[in-house]
Amino acid sequence: MEVGILALQGDVAEHASALRDVGVKPRPVRVPGDLTALAGIVLPGGESTTMSLLLGSSGLVGPLAEEIASGLPAFGTCAGMILLASSILDGKPDQLAFGAIDLSVRRNGFGRQLDSFERDIEVAGLGDGPVHAVFIRAPLVESVGAHVEVLGRLGDGGSPVLCREGGILVSAFHPELTPDRRLHRMFVSIIEERGR
Amino acid sequence: MPGGRYPAEATTQLSKGSPCHAGGTRSSVGCRGVWIHCGVMQLPSPTDSTPPATRSPDVTGSHEQVAGVTGTFMVKRGLADMLRGGVIMDVVTAEQARIAEDAGAVAVMALERVPADIRAEGGVARMSDPALIRAIQEAVSIPVMAKARIGHFAEAQVLQALGVDYVDESEVLTPADEENHIDKRAFAVPFVCGATNLGEALRRIAEGAALIRSKGEAGTGNVVEAVRHLRSIVGDIRRLTQADGAEIYGWAKRLAAPVDLVAEVASTGHLPVPLFCAGGLATPADAALVMQLGAEAVFVGSGIFKSEDPMSRARAIVEATAHYDDAQIVAKVSTGLGAPMAGQEIGAITEHLADRGL
């Protein structure tokens, strides 16, 4: 199985290493030709405004939007979550949103770097205890569509930090920065479940 | 594996919950609700249960109590990881900061004078006026970095109080301490430091730097020193991975660096923090060059706003950094950018900033 990683900017190497750990071959995606015959795609952490601009100039935005619309499973972490969301608050006016998952997210919703934090998150349906989650200038999910499954929150009744809708999985935190591979394994299961 | 790349010292310090020293960081910035800063309180182990957040998900608001741990080495280094493959641009006004953000910068460095002007005008170069830093923070949504003088921990405390996202303990400013760098572990804000060789890089990491940039020679528009420093760091890492167990100690002695960090680099083949490149980059091809030599992102100082057409050049350097190994794209974006900054021969300059703070 070959899974793409949007490799225009961000922590691509960490996702590549996580994918290898779960038995998947990672493929960096920088131009439209890199999208051919992928089983899924990861949108990494990084700066969403930079990635948005480079998605436009590389010609990836159209072909990638078509792939996602036709069912390509996608996993977005932090900036990747922002790119996949349906609505972005505090973004740049021309900032791109693929609208692949019905979420409204606020960029840097927890504040600046001094407010970046780590803590444990209970994830629905995941065995072996909580996930230790690292939030870096993270987006804050402000509202969630009716068909979105919230898999993890900041404590009981806290804001959603891990969500899924169909083949789209998003986290406000960075599972790629810690050695725990359960969420990358979850993404691979989603790919398999959707017959890709 | 990323999880194994963090220096052992940071973990030890965190688990001990050691108190801040006098130069430390009981910052009021970010201390909202139950937030706990590095070194201020006993930190929970990863298995401790954390109290639930109190905000309901349908409430619209900017901050909530997250019951998380802030200021850890993981989150400091994490932001550096997120900047990889990007361009960090020097800006001296809010307007330049907006241009940098529109051009695709991953972060901006707020300062009063770009290195080329510091070089030309002389005098003591210090931390920027807080008003300028605040104006730039308000102008953009991307991370804002700012420079403190080498060893000037009080300037760094001010920058942390202003809520900057990264402090650059920089040789571009006039050093405040000729013997000691800032004890960066005592801060919640992350630090980037320059290095000309592997030993210098590891000494800065031992002091708590979460990001290293090769120094180059700032304000010259000449990439030769950046290449020298990057090749020195990357080449020594490559050679170090061939060392046997006994030779690690010889390496530590020659590098004047802690033996555990030397051993870690020997086994992983990379620094325990990201390695970016700075100092003299002026063209898209300069960015492509240093990225191919092993830099993970680039700082561009005078090279953008001292050129004829800053917006186009900034955009082009962003594209060339992202597509550094695709010469067709680098050729395309290098076309018709107007004049780059004039630049200087290294032999013609009298003061080598890279020699400060080794």
Side-chain angles (χ1 to χ4, degrees), chain A:
Chain A
M1 181 190 291
E2 211 173 342
V3 169
I5 306 172
L6 185 66
L8 296 169
Q9 193 270 316
D11 67 337
V12 178
E14 276 73 11
H15 274 292
S17 137
L19 287 175
R20 275 187 219 106
D21 287 350
V22 299
V24 165
K25 189 177 174 205
R27 185 202 297 170
V29 172
R30 294 194 181 89
V31 291
D34 298 332
L35 288 170
T36 314
L38 287 176
I41 187 160
V42 171
L43 281 67
E47 184 47 57
S48 64
T49 55
T50 303
M51 285 193 227
S52 168
L53 191 135
L54 290 166
L55 275 162
S57 59
S58 64
L60 266 174
V61 56
L64 181 53
E66 273 171 39
E67 287 284 344
I68 291 172
S70 63
L72 181 72
F75 181 18
T77 63
C78 194
M81 172 196 243
I82 297 172
L83 290 170
L84 289 169
S86 51
S87 153
I88 303 171
L89 306 164
D90 289 345
K92 282 174 59 185
D94 56 349
Q95 189 168 347
L96 180 83
F98 283 111
I101 182 163
D102 192 4
L103 292 180
S104 173
V105 298
R106 186 174 296 281
R107 276 181 72 221
N108 308 328
F110 295 93
R112 295 190 159 276
Q113 171 61 13
L114 283 170
D115 307 319
S116 291
F117 63 98
E118 40 184 306
R119 62 159 287 170
D120 286 356
I121 300 293
E122 297 291 342
V123 174
L126 201 65
D128 301 328
V131 169
H132 189 69
V134 181
F135 294 81
I136 310 284
R137 287 173 51 99
L140 178 66
V141 174
E142 298 222 338
S143 68
V144 170
H147 300 289
V148 174
E149 195 184 348
V150 176
L151 299 172
R153 293 179 180 276
L154 282 177
D156 294 337
S159 63
V161 293
L162 179 69
C163 301
R164 179 185 173 182
E165 183 176 1
I168 309 296
L169 180 66
V170 294
S171 66
F173 57 92
H174 294 281
E176 72 277 14
L177 290 185
T178 53
D180 185 343
R181 295 298 180 233
R182 284 176 293 168
L183 294 184
H184 284 82
R185 215 167 281 129
M186 179 189 278
F187 181 53
V188 172
S189 310
I190 290 172
I191 293 173
E192 285 164 349
E193 175 191 313
R194 301 186 70 81
R196 300 287 298 198

Side-chain angles (χ1 to χ4, degrees), chain A residues 9 14 57 107 109 118 120, chain B residues 46 62 72 82 84 141 165 319:
Chain A
Q9 193 270 316
E14 276 73 11
S57 59
R107 276 181 72 221
E118 40 184 306
D120 286 356
Chain B
S62 58
T72 62
M82 298 315 139
R84 296 214 307 240
S141 63
D165 296 294
E319 295 284 344

Side-chain angles (χ1 to χ4, degrees), chain B residues 46-111:
Chain B
T47 51
D48 283 347
S49 63
T50 40
T54 53
R55 172 187 169 276
S56 73
D58 52 337
V59 173
T60 304
S62 58
H63 293 281
E64 62 178 290
Q65 295 188 330
V66 294
V69 185
T70 60
T72 62
F73 193 75
M74 174 77 95
V75 300
K76 291 176 177 178
R77 195 215 127 121
L79 180 56
D81 285 325
M82 298 315 139
L83 302 175
R84 296 214 307 240
V87 184
I88 299 135
M89 301 182 192
D90 277 3
V91 297
V92 301
T93 64
E95 178 54 28
Q96 286 187 356
R98 275 187 288 267
I99 290 172
E101 185 179 47
D102 287 345
V106 288
V108 291
M109 178 76 71
L111 69 178

